[in-house]
Amino acid sequence: MSSDRPNGPSRRSTATRGRGAPAVSGQADLNPAQRAAVQYIDGPLLVLAGAGSGKTRVITRKIAYLIGTAGIAPRHIVAVTFTNKAAREMKARVAALSSRGGTTGLTITTFHSLGLEILRRERAAAGLKAGFSLLDEQDSDALLREILRHGDDDPATADARARISQWKNDLVPPAVALSHAADEREARQARLYGEYERALRAYNAVDFDDLILRPVELLRDHAELRERWQNRVHHLLVDEYQDTNGAQYELVRLLVGVRGALTVVGDDDQSIYAWRGARPENLARLREDLPRLRVIKLEQNYRSSTRILRAANALIANNPHLFEKKLWSELGPGEPIRVVQCRDEEHEAERIVAEILQRRYGRNEGFGDCAILYRGNHQARLFEKALRAHDIPYFLSGGQSFFARTEVKDVMAYLRLLANPDDDAAFLRLVNVPRREIGPHTVEKLGGYAGSRGIGLLAACEELGLSSVLSGRPLERLRELAHWVARHVRIADREGTVEAVRSVLRDVDYDDWLREQSSSPKTAERRAENVAELVEWIARLQGDDRDASLAEIVQRLTLQDVLERQGDETGGERVHLMTLHAAKGLEFPNVYLAGVEEELLPHRSSIEADTIEEERRLAYVGITRAQRTLTLTFAARRRRFGEQISCEPSRFLAELPAKDLQWEGRDTPGDRETQRQRGRESLAGLRAMLGDDG
DNA sequence: CGGTTTCGCTTTTTT
DNA sequence: AGCGAAACCG
């Protein structure tokens, strides 16, 4: 997403983006295509927006136009993005464009948050009880493993979750999946799918995919409900439309209805999520489903120099296209694109980092103007190490999410169980965390009893009949646990979520458990910090919305509605480290694209699966992030799974225009020494500057 | 039942 | 190499 500035070259780094231009009443600062896209509100519109062509700008300006000029009430406008970050950014930019208070009621959210909102409001129709749990991917994984343990034992179901997710994204229910199964393996997966769905319902829980799937079912099957929502949405705007999957397409269609007031913005060349169900052909499908569809192309790029753009165009020309478009720019040729061969992955990291130092102290550019992009998260390690060695501040995005951490999951499980007594998945997680002397045997018995009575595990703990299968100490322990949970539910009701969490943590002495579990005091401390951070977030959420129930808070946390790491505001003067996927929508003056090798980019698995085109788009996304300089690096050898392998430069390098490339570093020792020397000098400079003598 | 060891899998990407 | 889960031992 480029900033909302008048069209033209930008010297500003991403760190200072978002300040935005002052509100403009006319549309004089838009180019003709952009203006047309903003002002066309008479029917469905598809905006094909090339990289850096100002697509977010068009959406935000259009929202302002819909409110200000077309006179549509903000509460009838819904804008949908894929990431919370994009939604946040869009909100901020719309707010900057509109007069104060003029956007009250406006909805700008993600697909998943919108789905959750619908589910919450239509809970009864969806057959969900209050406080229903939202399972993240790990939770559903654990649930599947649990089902497998009890049912048939088949390790062939390893990728069952992915398959189930696919089915859900395609709106295929278990029965249909089973009847269409191609082979026994798939049939097994389909049966597992059925059991999984039954478990979810029994647990009063939904997973991420359900946040789209279930609203679609609701809107499809209940006319009254559908009308109500269609009446609410007078104009729907969808960003990154090429990333929608089958279910999301259907959700959009159902919300828009016959009115057809829809603006979608997308770029088939930036479709990089096919692996998780995205259907770029949804762009083309719109034309069939909405005959009145108008198509507007945004082809002027305001981001990159022409060399960079030429390389991007040349690369992507090797892909088939749904829509033809050619990006152009007026920014001048700029510097050549450099291709740097490195000895190995360490050398690659060193060279890039040395160069960043050179930029910072040789040319006085900011660290924040530099980004290192790569295919897989594991590649970040080396760069982190090199950056740390030189005391360069960096910002790492992606990697293990905050909510994937054990300690955070533990606390979340407690909260889920408090909100939803049927959440057996949560119960199983915390039943012995910390140790309560309730072992697998006891849990097994409890599960059997609960199953036979058709109730949840927690409820079973309190039933008198349980004494028929359990007795003595184990029974005692289960009863204690149930009473303890009930007490905390009361605390949550009376004193709020935050107090309940604090009480839970105090009661179980969670810090002590962490100390006991962690290998070193240091990691224990880190984990305790994470827990503290979570509590802070909960406190903040409750502060924002006094009425928010425990369940709502937990749901929002699971959606990562908040948090999302230190985020943009920490940006500052830091080198940005991220995957190509995470880089989509961002821009940086200087981009280093690392590991441009066969088996890495394109990735090995994509070569095997013959999905090179998506890899090419990924490379395209990487290249088009660059504003002024672009450096592609690859290593001659690299360590994979511990063993050394030799690497070949990526085929994509051969697809770039040779005249725009400048090859470097057929590694001579002198070169290497020079780089090191430069690095040392720059490091000395940095230290002097900071007055740091450590 | 709880702690330790060993094994095996990972590294594609994530709302 | 590094991490989590099963397997094994006390």
Side-chain angles (χ1 to χ4, degrees):
Chain A
M1 276 133 262
S2 55
S3 59
D4 203 326
R5 64 189 178 236
N7 292 332
S10 165
R11 289 279 155 77
R12 273 192 264 153
S13 78
T14 49
T16 56
R17 285 183 314 159
R19 228 177 272 151
V24 183
S25 50
Q27 313 288 346
D29 56 334
L30 298 174
N31 70 34
Q34 291 174 333
R35 202 177 309 131
V38 166
Q39 295 178 350
Y40 182 74
I41 58 172
D42 299 327
L45 171 68
L46 165 59
V47 182
L48 289 167
S53 64
K55 79 181 166 77
T56 307
R57 191 146 191 269
V58 164
I59 297 185
T60 51
R61 291 292 289 273
K62 183 154 191 171
I63 293 171
Y65 182 83
L66 286 167
I67 298 171
T69 307
I72 298 182
R75 68 191 178 82
H76 285 311
I77 299 171
V78 176
V80 185
T81 64
F82 275 86
T83 66
N84 298 306
K85 190 169 152 207
R88 237 182 299 128
E89 232 173 275
M90 201 175 282
K91 271 182 208 160
R93 284 167 60 177
V94 170
L97 283 173
S98 317
S99 47
R100 53 277 112 194
T103 59
T104 315
L106 175 67
T107 303
I108 301 180
T109 36
T110 63
F111 267 105
H112 289 88
S113 299
L114 178 65
L116 179 60
E117 177 71 15
I118 295 175
L119 269 191
R120 237 188 244 140
R121 290 185 188 264
E122 312 295 344
R123 190 164 50 73
L128 288 163
K129 288 180 268 178
F132 63 88
S133 296
L134 173 55
L135 305 193
D136 68 22
E137 222 148 303
Q138 287 181 40
D139 298 327
S140 24
D141 240 355
L143 175 54
L144 275 176
R145 256 181 277 120
E146 189 61 28
I147 294 171
L148 281 173
R149 189 167 304 165
H150 288 286
D152 296 337
D153 38 344
D154 217 321
T157 39
D159 53 342
R161 213 210 357 86
R163 186 50 135 273
I164 291 172
S165 184
Q166 258 177 42
W167 275 320
K168 289 186 154 193
N169 288 161
D170 291 336
L171 304 169
V172 177
V176 178
L178 185 58
S179 63
H180 284 56
D183 50 29
E184 184 46 38
R185 174 195 164 76
E186 205 170 68
R188 222 174 286 136
Q189 290 175 328
R191 279 191 288 269
L192 183 58
Y193 176 22
E195 282 185 62
Y196 171 74
E197 290 293 284
R198 252 172 278 135
L200 281 183
R201 275 166 215 263
Y203 293 4
N204 189 31
V206 297
D207 66 15
F208 275 4
D209 297 325
D210 287 333
L211 293 181
I212 313 295
L213 170 71
R214 314 265 319 250
V216 164
E217 290 172 347
L218 289 173
L219 292 167
R220 193 190 53 201
D221 302 338
H222 302 267
E224 179 273 328
L225 192 155
R226 180 170 61 244
E227 260 164 54
R228 201 149 27 83
W229 281 92
Q230 288 182 349
N231 250 345
R232 159 101 158 63
V233 184
H234 287 195
H235 201 106
L236 181 67
L237 302 99
V238 185
D239 192 16
E240 304 279 14
Y241 193 74
Q242 75 283 348
D243 289 338
T244 52
N245 61 35
Q248 284 157 341
Y249 182 93
E250 211 48 32
L251 184 59
V252 167
R253 215 178 55 84
L254 285 163
L255 283 174
V256 166
V258 285
R259 200 191 320 257
L262 170 73
T263 300
V264 313
V265 183
D267 179 5
D268 49 328
D269 288 331
Q270 294 186 67
S271 163
I272 54 175
Y273 287 109
W275 55 272
R276 71 170 202 224
R279 298 275 190 76
E281 61 273 24
N282 282 347
L283 286 168
R285 214 176 135 192
L286 272 183
R287 258 201 306 217
E288 296 153 27
D289 288 5
L290 302 166
R292 293 160 55 217
L293 184 73
R294 178 163 173 200
V295 180
I296 294 176
K297 294 181 189 179
L298 305 183
E299 296 178 295
Q300 182 175 2
N301 171 293
Y302 297 98
R303 177 185 297 158
S304 312
S305 64
T306 47
R307 273 211 185 87
I308 291 168
L309 220 48
R310 198 150 61 208
N313 280 334
L315 177 74
I316 209 65
N318 291 288
N319 270 7
H321 285 85
L322 261 29
F323 301 91
E324 284 309 322
K325 72 174 150 27
K326 46 171 201 311
L327 277 182
W328 56 279
S329 128
E330 287 176 341
L331 300 186
E335 290 177 42
I337 295 162
R338 297 185 313 130
V339 181
V340 181
Q341 174 174 341
C342 307
R343 232 184 135 58
D344 52 37
E345 73 266 45
E346 262 126 20
H347 185 209
E348 180 182 53
E350 261 174 48
R351 286 197 73 153
I352 291 178
V353 168
E355 203 166 306
I356 290 173
L357 278 170
Q358 163 67 15
R359 283 196 185 283
R360 176 67 187 84
Y361 296 106
R363 307 199 205 172
N364 213 23
E365 292 185 74
F367 283 134
D369 289 345
C370 298
I372 306 174
L373 310 181
Y374 38 79
R375 177 68 228 260
N377 266 129
H378 64 284
Q379 287 172 268
R381 280 231 155 100
L382 276 302
F383 296 114
E384 279 192 86
K385 191 176 149 197
L387 289 166
R388 261 197 305 256
H390 291 277
D391 283 336
I392 301 175
Y394 62 89
F395 173 67
L396 178 75
S397 77
Q400 206 201 17
S401 118
F402 180 78
F403 287 97
R405 301 189 153 104
T406 342
E407 64 276 16
V408 177
K409 301 232 72 157
D410 284 347
V411 178
M412 292 289 283
Y414 271 106
L415 295 183
R416 265 165 48 193
L417 190 62
L418 294 188
N420 173 16
D422 292 325
D423 193 333
D424 286 356
F427 182 94
L428 288 172
R429 180 170 187 108
L430 59 76
V431 68
N432 223 11
V433 172
R435 250 167 253 122
R436 259 180 273 270
E437 300 175 294
I438 303 171
H441 182 72
T442 308
V443 174
E444 185 80 49
K445 283 273 200 284
L446 175 68
Y449 177 77
S452 69
R453 303 267 302 125
I455 57 175
L457 295 174
L458 183 66
C461 293
E462 296 186 282
E463 286 213 344
L464 289 173
L466 185 61
S467 55
S468 61
V469 289
L470 283 167
S471 61
R473 202 179 164 88
L475 181 63
E476 228 12 61
R477 295 295 183 184
L478 289 176
R479 295 256 150 90
E480 280 169 26
L481 177 57
H483 291 147
W484 183 85
V485 169
R487 185 156 66 82
H488 281 88
V489 171
R490 286 195 297 274
I491 294 176
D493 282 347
R494 276 203 303 262
E495 298 168 53
T497 306
V498 192
E499 202 32 60
V501 191
R502 293 213 170 103
S503 176
V504 164
L505 293 173
R506 210 181 313 123
D507 256 31
V508 301
D509 203 350
Y510 194 71
D511 280 354
D512 188 57
W513 164 253
L514 282 180
R515 272 190 292 278
E516 199 182 311
Q517 288 296 298
S518 307
S519 44
S520 72
K522 199 160 167 55
T523 56
E525 204 175 309
R526 264 227 68 74
R527 289 173 157 185
E529 274 170 28
N530 287 332
V531 173
E533 199 181 330
L534 179 60
V535 176
E536 266 173 51
W537 273 107
I538 293 168
R540 209 165 311 166
L541 274 177
Q542 182 125 83
D544 290 350
D545 181 1
R546 293 244 149 252
D547 295 334
S549 69
L550 173 57
E552 277 171 307
I553 287 175
V554 179
Q555 286 163 356
R556 291 182 58 187
L557 285 169
T558 308
L559 263 187
Q560 313 208 4
D561 202 341
V562 263
L563 207 75
E564 211 135 271
R565 318 283 264 150
Q566 311 112 68
D568 335 272
E569 68 277 6
T570 329
E573 276 309 310
R574 294 159 173 265
V575 174
H576 293 252
L577 250 54
M578 68 188 85
T579 64
L580 287 165
H581 283 86
K584 190 166 71 147
L586 304 176
E587 59 186 356
F588 304 94
N590 308 299
V591 165
Y592 297 86
L593 182 46
V596 187
E597 294 151 31
E598 284 295 297
E599 312 237 306
L600 210 51
L601 182 68
H603 193 269
R604 194 182 181 185
S605 56
S606 292
I607 296 172
E608 280 162 13
D610 198 23
T611 53
I612 296 296
E613 283 158 19
E614 179 145 314
E615 296 290 303
R616 191 175 281 113
R617 289 192 288 268
L618 211 38
Y620 175 80
V621 166
I623 290 172
T624 54
R625 297 311 97 194
Q627 294 171 313
R628 291 205 303 272
T629 78
L630 173 64
T631 307
L632 311 172
T633 67
F634 65 95
R637 29 193 313 109
R638 178 181 296 274
R639 195 178 251 104
R640 187 168 69 195
F641 302 140
E643 63 172 337
Q644 282 289 332
I645 55 158
S646 60
C647 314
E648 271 177 63
S650 168
R651 67 188 75 184
F652 297 147
L653 288 173
E655 297 176 6
L656 303 178
K659 65 174 159 95
D660 292 323
L661 303 184
Q662 183 182 302
W663 290 71
E664 277 179 32
R666 299 278 137 92
D667 196 48
T668 61
D671 255 6
R672 200 170 178 192
E673 200 32 57
T674 311
Q675 292 287 345
R676 285 204 167 146
Q677 185 57 36
R678 265 192 217 142
R680 266 185 229 116
E681 281 163 11
S682 308
L683 182 58
L686 172 68
R687 293 219 161 109
M689 226 161 197
L690 298 174
D692 174 16
D693 41 15

